[in-house]
Amino acid sequence: MIKWTHDTVRRRFMSTSAAAIDWWNHVGHAPKDPIMSVTEAFLSDTSPNKINLGVGAYRDDDGRPVVLQCVRDGEAKIAGTGFLESVSASVSSKLVEESVKLIYGKDADFIKEGRFAGVQALSGTGACRLFAEFQRRFYPQSKIYLPIPTWSNHHNIWRDAQVPGRTFHYYHPDSKGLHFAALMDDIKNAPDRSFFLLHPCAHNPTGVDPTEEQWRDISNLFKVKNHFPFFDMAYQGFASGDLDKDAKAMRIFLEDGHLIGCAQSFAKNMGLYGHRVGCLSVLCADAKQAVAIKSQLQHITRAMYSSPPVHGILLVSTILSDPHLKELWKKELKVMANRIHRMRSTLRESLKKLGSPLNWDHMTNQVGMFCFSGLSPDQVNRLMKEFHIYMTYDGRMSMAGVTTSNVSYLANAIHEVTKFG
């Protein structure tokens, strides 16, 4: 029998330390995120002419991030607040209450009657991840239908929640618009009671949105098939500059009697990317069901991250609940949306003046922060290598990166790589 003295332990450790178990030698590199890779390549480029069209966050006409005046004023209003330990129930409830008014309408019966479950989330990504986990727990055999294409992280989110993914047609590469007939066929052919993820406005990455009439047709077919619509609202206000207009799709579904879910983010439309402020809401049959679902969502968040940082939640809830700050935010949002629309028009006209053999009308037919340019991976690569212009290889351009000072250079570069078709 070994007597475990201090010297015995030391000698045993010395004799085995060289052969210590390597716990992580089987771990390889994770696949690079396509958007992060664009940013890394841009940052390493020393050219004074370089342009970053990869980042999905707003930039002003000088290419700089913007701190909105409503945010500055909101910061001043909450300075010295006592909410420093965790998110209080009142702050959390105010954020949720004001957030759902933005998407469902301030006079929606669901809100007045308490027939919704809502929780604050870590921006839109966190809200999607939270719903994916909720879906897996209570519909373990279900799948999620994602549009082709969609934001690349949607696939990661539902996969990591162990919810199998399926796809449905959305974008038509020839028309550079909506592939509506194929979309409707896929909705019709999906098994009844399927879960679908929808972009209510400013679709990422294409900038292609259904018309109001098409949304009504989609809603009717969802009703026939008893599908569950889950909306990812990441860019409310960026499609039209009007918060209510950009929520029209969701309100159509609401009018048609759907019980829907929604992930919201304030990263883009308030310029609060680093604060990670979002909301997840699920409409319910009655107030009793809402209480039960909210308790389950809170149970999931408790194990995931306990509670989100307090500062961003307090800031957003302050802006949304203060009439002056909210009105200021709406005006600033309109300015941002108008600048992006103006850059779309300027780029299209510049290409036309250069005698481009291609039709660039899709640049202004599409809406929101992104333009699905139609550029091929080879053309995107040439733009990066020869002109120091960076975007994802699917040709998605963040129009926020286009400015008055670089739009001519960008147009000439695009013309150069596309002039032979």
Side-chain angles (χ1 to χ4, degrees):
M1 180 176 178
I2 299 174
K3 185 177 181 180
W4 290 100
T5 66
H6 175 75
D7 286 343
T8 303
V9 173
R10 184 175 61 82
R11 286 195 300 271
R12 181 62 61 92
F13 173 76
M14 293 290 289
S15 65
T16 60
S17 60
I21 297 173
D22 184 348
W23 288 94
W24 311 114
N25 63 354
H26 62 292
V27 178
H29 290 283
K32 282 195 171 185
D33 182 276
I35 300 171
M36 298 298 184
S37 298
V38 170
T39 300
E40 290 173 6
F42 171 79
L43 292 174
S44 66
D45 192 331
T46 58
S47 171
N49 297 320
K50 66 180 182 179
I51 303 174
N52 186 1
L53 303 180
V55 176
Y58 184 75
R59 298 291 185 265
D60 65 14
D61 202 43
D62 294 319
R64 297 175 301 193
V66 174
V67 179
L68 300 180
Q69 188 59 49
C70 67
V71 171
R72 295 184 189 276
D73 292 349
E75 289 275 13
K77 189 170 182 178
I78 65 174
T81 179
F83 297 114
L84 296 178
E85 289 190 7
S86 62
V87 180
S88 73
S90 61
V91 173
S92 174
S93 297
K94 179 60 70 174
L95 174 79
V96 172
E97 179 185 342
E98 296 298 332
S99 296
V100 296
K101 287 178 184 177
L102 288 179
I103 51 175
Y104 303 122
K106 60 183 177 62
D107 297 321
D109 290 339
F110 274 93
I111 299 174
K112 293 177 180 178
E113 298 165 9
R115 290 187 288 130
F116 71 95
V119 294
Q120 72 277 7
L122 296 175
S123 201
T125 302
C128 285
R129 181 63 177 84
L130 178 54
F131 181 81
E133 179 65 23
F134 179 75
Q135 178 186 343
R136 183 191 66 80
R137 291 191 184 194
F138 295 98
Y139 283 91
Q141 304 304 316
S142 68
K143 301 174 178 62
I144 184 71
Y145 281 79
L146 302 171
I148 305 173
T150 191
W151 179 45
S152 59
N153 211 24
H154 282 147
H155 295 278
N156 301 330
I157 290 168
W158 267 268
R159 183 194 64 234
D160 281 10
Q162 300 179 359
V163 176
R166 297 292 185 269
T167 58
F168 64 95
H169 285 87
Y170 188 86
Y171 177 77
H172 199 303
D174 294 334
S175 68
K176 299 180 180 61
L178 186 67
H179 202 335
F180 185 64
L183 179 153
M184 293 294 279
D185 283 343
D186 287 348
I187 294 172
K188 180 180 179 181
N189 293 329
D192 289 2
R193 297 174 62 83
S194 292
F195 287 77
F196 277 75
L197 183 141
L198 303 170
H199 300 234
C201 69
H203 180 273
N204 178 9
T206 69
V208 173
D209 289 346
T211 64
E212 181 176 330
E213 183 180 355
Q214 289 171 332
W215 274 123
R216 293 192 183 280
D217 290 342
I218 294 169
S219 176
N220 287 334
L221 186 53
F222 264 60
K223 200 71 175 174
V224 170
K225 295 289 294 182
N226 291 310
H227 292 328
F228 184 88
F230 181 76
F231 290 93
D232 185 3
M233 178 68 93
Y235 296 95
Q236 187 175 4
F238 268 110
S240 66
D242 185 291
L243 292 166
D244 290 320
K245 186 174 181 180
D246 285 1
K248 185 63 178 179
M250 296 187 61
R251 294 179 190 178
I252 288 172
F253 275 70
L254 190 62
E255 291 166 8
D256 288 346
H258 294 276
L259 296 180
I260 65 184
C262 181
Q264 286 173 270
S265 168
F266 295 97
K268 317 299 172 57
N269 58 14
M270 278 195 187
L272 297 175
Y273 202 94
H275 287 268
R276 316 311 297 157
V277 185
C279 178
L280 171 65
S281 58
V282 179
L283 301 188
C284 306
D286 52 46
K288 182 179 179 180
Q289 185 182 87
V291 172
I293 291 177
K294 182 176 180 178
S295 73
Q296 293 291 347
L297 294 175
Q298 290 173 324
H299 186 69
I300 295 169
T301 61
R302 179 64 175 162
M304 275 189 178
Y305 53 84
S306 186
S307 62
V310 64
H311 185 81
I313 291 173
L314 185 58
L315 179 57
V316 172
S317 62
T318 298
I319 293 171
L320 294 181
S321 59
D322 183 299
H324 169 72
L325 293 179
K326 187 175 181 180
E327 194 60 34
L328 177 58
W329 173 50
K330 289 180 179 180
K331 291 177 181 178
E332 292 183 288
L333 186 53
K334 183 72 172 176
V335 169
M336 291 191 288
N338 285 347
R339 192 190 84 74
I340 290 177
H341 180 74
R342 187 167 62 252
M343 288 300 100
R344 287 180 176 276
S345 298
T346 303
L347 182 57
R348 186 198 66 184
E349 290 304 311
S350 297
L351 285 162
K352 186 177 180 180
K353 288 178 181 177
L354 288 168
S356 174
L358 303 178
N359 184 340
W360 296 100
D361 286 348
H362 61 282
M363 282 189 169
T364 48
N365 291 337
Q366 297 171 7
V367 296
M369 190 168 287
F370 301 111
C371 171
F372 219 47
S373 64
L375 295 170
S376 70
D378 287 341
Q379 290 167 336
V380 170
N381 191 58
R382 280 193 64 192
L383 287 174
M384 286 192 285
K385 301 297 184 184
E386 299 176 28
F387 299 96
H388 311 278
I389 296 170
Y390 295 85
M391 67 185 75
T392 51
Y393 277 98
D394 59 6
R396 187 196 81 163
M397 299 192 302
S398 173
M399 297 305 296
V402 185
T403 67
T404 303
S405 61
N406 68 25
V407 66
S408 294
Y409 178 79
L410 174 62
N412 277 281
I414 293 175
H415 179 58
E416 187 63 31
V417 303
T418 59
K419 62 184 179 182
F420 297 116

